[in-house]
Amino acid sequence: MFILALGAKAEEVKYEGKNRIEIPVGVYITSLYALDIPDKKFTVSAWIWSTYDPALLPEDYKFYNKIEITNARSWSIIDTENFTLENDDGTIHTMTKFVAEINQDWDIKHFPFDKQDVTINIESVELDSAKIKFIPDMENSLVSDDLTLSGWSILPLNIRSFDYKYPTNFGIQSGAKGVYPRMSIVLPIERHGNRIFWTYFLGFFVAYVIISLLYFFNETMFESRVGLIMSALFACVGNKYTVDLLLPSTDVFTLSDLVQVASFIIVGIGLLSSVMVVLLTKKGAQQVAYKIDLVITWAVIIGYPAAIYYGVLMAPQ
């Protein structure tokens, strides 16, 4: 039983039900704002519509009262912008505007050169996949021309319809056993990351410049070298706290992690090389100390930007 419980999970499935009622559903996104990366959320305002035959569905079915946004923290329908129309063929067309605060698992692996898929999941309530099926109205689903995001490019909207199976039947003794029609509305956006890259990581790059200057201070200026190293360390620590406040925690090694780790490594190398130079000089190996210091300095000068450049090249943009 324990092993079976571990295997029970919600998942996308292809439900092979017969005589399912197809309900075309479309969306028009009017506003997208409050993109909160640390708190993993955003807010959206949009119109959603559907067309259906009322004779085939329960008497109280209005579409908007039989759906939920499954990944929303909170959402509400704007009562003054909620309409129901009757078509000439007897079908019903509903148009509803809603506002929702949505949970979003931001992908920050390549921040600030990241691409995000802002997602809204609409799912049927009460009527399961044995009865209905959502059909995306791609022809009419759009993003408002007035919608702009500062620092982002908005890509074409995508809608995907599928059935979603839960590991429970919610106590229902008949029907699709916990399988419900779902529609994912995905709006891809790309960040303009060049300015953010330099401003957010400026402290780390200043530390790199400081460590690169160590070569110009010989073994007789050990205190000056230590002073520079401490300045570089403070720059790294301060910048790290700033960046950590802007990004959520993740178990993926990100571009931000690469910049931070590389910066602290070169500070550590600078400290170790300074101590080594002093020790070798005291033993009379001044020329050896000079050559080693020169090699380490050039390794830092070339290796650090090469590592950062590699990380940037791995970004999707």
Side-chain angles (χ1 to χ4, degrees), residues 29 32 143-157 187-192:
I29 298 178
L32 183 68
V143 178
S144 172
D145 292 336
D146 296 328
L147 175 57
T148 58
L149 289 175
S150 179
W152 297 85
S153 293
I154 300 175
L155 303 180
L157 184 69
L187 180 62
I189 56 176
E190 288 184 347
R191 191 194 303 272
H192 304 157

Side-chain angles (χ1 to χ4, degrees), residues 21-26 49 133-138 159 161 183:
I21 302 169
E22 295 185 349
I23 301 178
V25 179
W49 62 83
K133 178 180 181 180
F134 291 151
I135 304 297
D137 182 5
M138 292 302 303
I159 302 178
S161 177
M183 195 172 70

Side-chain angles (χ1 to χ4, degrees), residues 53-297:
D53 187 348
L56 302 176
L57 295 165
E59 185 178 352
D60 64 339
Y61 189 85
K62 297 295 183 184
F63 179 73
Y64 57 82
N65 67 345
K66 298 297 182 181
I67 61 170
E68 68 169 329
I69 302 178
T70 58
N71 60 335
R73 298 187 181 187
S74 62
W75 71 287
S76 60
I77 293 173
I78 302 176
D79 293 333
T80 57
E81 298 182 271
N82 186 18
F83 309 100
T84 301
L85 307 173
E86 185 175 349
N87 298 321
D88 295 336
D89 59 359
T91 59
I92 296 297
H93 183 76
T94 65
M95 297 173 56
T96 305
K97 192 173 185 180
F98 68 87
V99 177
E101 187 178 70
I102 308 290
N103 290 313
Q104 175 73 25
D105 190 12
W106 304 101
D107 182 3
I108 60 169
K109 181 176 181 180
H110 302 292
F111 173 88
F113 303 105
D114 49 323
K115 177 181 177 182
Q116 305 291 342
D117 287 333
V118 176
T119 305
I120 308 167
N121 291 325
I122 307 292
E123 187 174 295
S124 172
V125 174
E126 186 178 325
L127 299 181
D128 58 24
S129 294
K131 300 179 181 68
I132 66 172
K133 178 180 181 180
F134 291 151
I135 304 297
D137 182 5
M138 292 302 303
E139 182 179 355
N140 300 301
S141 296
L142 297 167
V143 178
S144 172
D145 292 336
D146 296 328
L147 175 57
T148 58
L149 289 175
S150 179
W152 297 85
S153 293
I154 300 175
L155 303 180
L157 184 69
N158 182 42
I159 302 178
R160 189 168 59 92
S161 177
F162 55 94
D163 297 299
Y164 197 74
K165 182 179 181 181
Y166 289 93
T168 175
N169 63 3
F170 301 99
I172 301 174
Q173 300 302 315
S174 61
K177 302 294 184 180
V179 183
Y180 290 84
R182 176 179 289 194
M183 195 172 70
S184 284
I185 303 162
V186 180
L187 180 62
I189 56 176
E190 288 184 347
R191 191 194 303 272
H192 304 157
N194 290 330
R195 184 189 65 82
I196 296 177
F197 177 74
W198 293 106
T199 55
Y200 278 23
F201 300 133
L202 181 61
F204 296 116
F205 300 148
V206 169
Y208 162 69
V209 173
I210 292 174
I211 295 300
S212 299
L213 294 175
L214 289 182
Y215 172 73
F216 297 98
F217 293 81
N218 57 34
E219 69 284 351
T220 63
M221 306 174 69
F222 180 72
E223 293 182 358
S224 298
R225 292 178 68 123
V226 171
L228 287 175
I229 293 169
M230 294 306 297
S231 298
L233 180 60
F234 286 137
C236 288
V237 172
N239 207 156
K240 175 177 172 57
Y241 278 116
T242 301
V243 172
D244 287 348
L245 289 174
L246 297 170
L247 300 176
S249 59
T250 177
D251 56 356
V252 177
F253 191 77
T254 67
L255 174 59
S256 174
D257 294 330
L258 174 63
V259 175
Q260 295 183 43
V261 170
S263 300
F264 280 103
I265 286 177
I266 64 172
V267 171
I269 290 175
L271 179 59
L272 292 176
S273 64
S274 298
V275 173
M276 181 189 61
V277 166
V278 172
L279 293 177
L280 289 175
T281 300
K282 287 183 177 181
K283 293 182 179 181
Q286 187 172 355
Q287 289 299 320
V288 175
Y290 171 81
K291 291 180 179 179
I292 293 177
D293 197 28
L294 179 62
V295 170
I296 292 176
T297 300

